[in-house]
């Protein structure tokens, strides 16, 4: 039996994607938002990072600044929410744990997307996809769409079709279509609908006479590699149904860890910037310990706004290396302060700063002699901070300048932050019975 026979069991890739993820998470605990235009904003309530279908219908684009929408929002009935990362992250974790029941081959691609390896006939895989949608909606409360195909790139396209065509019921399996039907679908889509093709690449493809996804699929792979890259060549093969991007198991550790934020109010004094570095270095160290890792290198940076006409744009950066890879918060704070503070100018209006850790490896991979281990590291100070923070909240304890409960004036602005209903006892949702 051929691979195109719908009765032939075969291995396929499914992309499961939460519909309008951030908005759907907000609606889960606030049903009054259903059917209304809703947007979720970026850090400091700056720009639109998520839109409901109703908001898209109003013409609101990703990245639109909120200050340009605020005046018209009441007339539109437009609701906005600040980014609630704790809520979104926890609901994402629940979705991914549930998806793991359906396949041993799973790759979490982003907070709202996962690839699954599935095996079965066309009818069996379509039915399983509908089971997945129903299970996620029932047990987590979030709507998802599922696209199924023989490669990741085609699964992405199928998922787009599942979202845009209500008659499909949230599931699109490309094996359910004839080759001619698939070709007609690809002929109707511009190249920038393909995963990884952006505006500039689309323009270069157009110059080669490649206007649609069908054109790209039929292009000479060697020419595409020569003109673009091996990645684009793989895309051509993927569009032909050749799986060139195998599912990747989750990495036990991240290669880099960054803690970076924009400030609600500019930081213009060296004292406040030192406090920023103390907080950020400790948060970065906490993320290291959470994944049981240590770091050998640190980079710190701060910058003023490039868009402020009243002040010249300035940036500062500095780095440090640890002779012994560490996750110790005291060492991190000392290194961050020494690396960046000599480059900070009093009076400059800094609007962003960050701490990045690299050279990450598993904790315990290199065990130094006790004489070289700092005393506070031997005493497990970092673990103590973690334990207290888990029990009483992250604002309950800190070292040195970070040991304050009240939020500094430069803390991230989140004026319309919803409750963290799944991770904080004092913010649990209330259910009223009638």
């Amino acid at each position: 039996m051929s691979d195109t026979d719908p009765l032939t069991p075969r291995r396929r890739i499914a992309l499961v994607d939460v519909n309008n993820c951030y908005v759907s998470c907000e609606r889960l605990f606030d049903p009054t938002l259903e059917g209304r235009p809703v947007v979720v904003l970026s850090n400091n309530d700056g720009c639109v990072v998520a839109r409901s279908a109703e908001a898209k219908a109003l013409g609101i684009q990703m990245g639109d600044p909120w200050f340009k929408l605020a005046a018209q929002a009441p007339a539109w009935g437009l609701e906005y929410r600040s980014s609630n990362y704790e809520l979104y992250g926890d609901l994402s974790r629940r979705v991914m744990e549930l998806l793991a029941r359906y396949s041993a081959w799973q790759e979490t691609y982003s907070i709202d997307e996962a690839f699954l390896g599935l095996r079965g006939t066309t009818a069996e895989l379509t039915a399983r996809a509908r089971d997945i949608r129903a299970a996620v909606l029932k047990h987590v409360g979030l709507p998802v769409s599922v696209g199924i195909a023989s490669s990741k790139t085609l699964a992405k396209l199928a998922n787009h079709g599942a979202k845009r065509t209500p008659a499909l019921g949230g599931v699109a399996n490309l094996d359910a279509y004839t080759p001619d039907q698939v070709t007609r679908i690809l002929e109707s889509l511009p190249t920038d609908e393909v995963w990884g093709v952006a505006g500039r690449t689309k323009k270069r493809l157009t110059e080669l006479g490649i206007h649609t996804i069908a054109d790209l699929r039929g292009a000479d792979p060697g020419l595409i590699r020569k003109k673009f890259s091996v990645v684009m060549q793989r895309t051509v093969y993927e569009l032909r149904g050749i799986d060139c991007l195998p599912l990747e198991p989750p990495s036990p550790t991240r290669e880099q860890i960054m803690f970076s934020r924009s400030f609600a109010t500019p930081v213009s004094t060296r004292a406040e910037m030192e406090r920023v570095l103390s907080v950020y270095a400790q948060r970065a160290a906490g993320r290291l310990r959470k994944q049981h890792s240590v770091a050998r290198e640190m980079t710190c940076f701060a910058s003023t706004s490039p868009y402020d006409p009243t002040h010249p744009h300035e940036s500062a950066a500095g780095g440090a290396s640890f002779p012994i890879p560490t996750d110790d918060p005291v060492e991190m704070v000392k290194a961050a302060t020494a690396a960046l503070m000599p480059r900070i100018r009093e009076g400059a209006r800094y609007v962003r700063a960050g701490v990045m850790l690299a050279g990450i490896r598993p904790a315990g991979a290199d065990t130094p002699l006790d004489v070289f281990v700092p005393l506070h590291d031997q005493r497990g100070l970092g673990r103590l901070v973690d334990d207290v923070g888990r029990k009483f909240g992250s604002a309950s304890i800190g070292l040195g300048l970070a040991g304050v409960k009240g939020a500094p004036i430069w803390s991230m602005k989140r004026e319309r932050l919803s409750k963290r209903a799944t991770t904080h006892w004092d913010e649990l949702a209330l259910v009223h019975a009638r």
Side-chain angles (χ1 to χ4, degrees):
M1 288 181 138
S2 70
D3 188 58
T4 59
D5 190 325
L7 300 180
T8 302
R10 69 202 71 150
R11 183 179 182 274
R12 287 294 184 255
I13 295 176
L15 176 66
V16 184
D17 186 7
V18 180
N19 301 341
N20 305 320
C21 180
Y22 290 1
V23 172
S24 294
C25 291
E26 295 289 345
R27 285 175 166 173
L28 180 59
F29 293 100
D30 187 356
T32 65
L33 299 178
E34 288 289 346
R36 302 170 64 184
V38 181
V39 295
V40 176
L41 304 180
S42 62
N43 291 349
N44 292 315
D45 294 343
C47 301
V48 174
V49 295
R51 306 162 292 163
S52 67
E54 297 81 3
K56 295 175 184 177
L58 291 173
I60 296 173
Q61 302 296 316
M62 291 288 285
D64 280 352
W66 174 247
F67 75 87
K68 291 186 176 181
L69 303 173
Q72 191 66 21
W76 287 338
L78 177 64
E79 290 285 338
Y80 79 94
R81 293 292 183 270
S82 305
S83 293
N84 189 339
Y85 300 116
E86 296 95 331
L87 177 66
Y88 310 151
D90 184 64
L91 292 177
S92 171
R93 177 187 58 78
R94 297 178 185 217
V95 170
M96 300 308 165
E97 287 182 356
L98 182 58
L99 295 181
R101 302 178 187 178
Y102 291 87
S103 175
W105 306 320
Q106 178 179 354
E107 177 188 338
T108 300
Y109 179 66
S110 66
I111 191 172
D112 60 345
E113 295 177 285
F115 290 104
L116 301 179
L118 303 175
R119 184 177 291 278
T121 65
T122 300
E124 290 170 343
L125 295 181
T126 301
R128 198 172 311 163
R130 300 199 184 282
D131 289 343
I132 289 173
R133 291 192 76 242
V136 175
L137 187 62
K138 177 181 179 180
H139 297 293
V140 184
L142 298 179
V144 300
S145 296
V146 185
I148 302 173
S150 55
S151 68
K152 283 184 177 179
T153 302
L154 288 175
K156 273 266 194 182
L157 287 173
N159 188 280
H160 289 325
K163 287 184 175 180
R164 297 174 181 177
T165 312
L168 293 177
V171 173
N173 187 343
L174 283 190
D175 288 330
Y177 299 87
T178 67
D180 287 342
Q181 288 175 324
V182 173
T183 296
R184 287 200 296 272
I185 292 172
L186 300 187
E187 287 174 342
S188 69
L189 298 173
T191 54
D192 58 357
E193 293 281 347
V194 174
W195 184 24
V197 175
R200 182 179 298 179
T201 303
K202 177 185 178 182
K203 182 179 179 180
R204 292 177 60 195
L205 288 170
T206 301
E207 293 171 351
L208 294 174
I210 299 173
H211 303 278
T212 69
I213 297 178
D215 294 336
L216 181 58
R217 183 184 64 173
D220 178 5
L223 175 65
I224 294 297
R225 177 170 182 169
K226 180 179 179 180
K227 293 289 186 179
F228 296 90
S229 66
V230 67
V231 174
M232 185 62 69
Q233 182 188 43
R234 291 191 191 119
T235 297
V236 172
Y237 287 130
E238 286 257 319
L239 290 172
R240 298 177 181 181
I242 302 171
D243 183 12
C244 301
L245 303 171
L247 295 177
E248 300 177 1
S251 173
T253 61
R254 288 181 284 180
E255 294 181 358
Q256 292 182 335
I257 287 179
M258 178 184 290
F259 194 93
S260 174
R261 295 288 186 274
S262 297
F263 307 140
T265 302
V267 170
S268 57
T269 68
R270 288 173 53 83
E272 277 299 299
M273 182 57 73
E274 188 173 1
R275 185 178 174 190
V276 170
L277 290 175
S278 181
V279 173
Y280 286 14
Q282 291 184 51
R283 297 288 178 84
R287 292 181 178 180
L288 265 182
R289 294 190 297 275
K290 187 175 182 179
Q291 67 175 33
H292 308 291
S293 301
V294 291
R296 182 178 289 278
E297 301 171 4
M298 169 186 284
T299 301
C300 305
F301 59 88
S303 64
T304 63
S305 172
Y307 308 108
D308 185 353
T310 63
H311 293 80
H313 177 55
E314 298 183 31
S315 61
S321 297
F322 304 103
I324 300 173
T326 183
D327 62 7
D328 179 65
V330 175
E331 293 297 311
M332 294 284 180
V333 171
K334 288 181 179 179
T337 302
L340 192 62
M341 286 310 299
R343 297 170 171 81
I344 295 299
R345 184 176 69 83
E346 185 80 18
R349 293 169 55 83
Y350 296 99
V351 297
R352 185 175 184 86
V355 173
M356 183 172 70
L357 303 177
I360 294 175
R361 62 189 67 191
D366 304 298
T367 305
L369 296 175
D370 290 344
V371 68
F372 297 113
V373 180
L375 182 60
H376 40 75
D377 204 357
Q378 292 180 6
R379 293 175 176 175
L381 186 57
R383 291 190 297 275
L384 173 62
V385 171
D386 294 340
D387 291 342
V388 173
R390 275 192 296 268
K391 188 171 183 179
F392 299 104
S394 59
S396 62
I397 189 171
L399 303 177
L401 296 172
V404 290
K405 190 172 181 63
I409 60 172
W410 41 261
S411 296
M412 186 168 59
K413 179 176 70 174
R414 294 196 284 181
E415 292 181 346
R416 295 293 293 274
L417 181 65
S418 56
K419 292 185 176 180
R420 297 162 293 183
T422 64
T423 58
H424 287 65
W425 284 107
D426 55 349
E427 297 184 20
L428 292 179
L430 298 177
V431 179
H432 301 274
R434 296 195 178 192

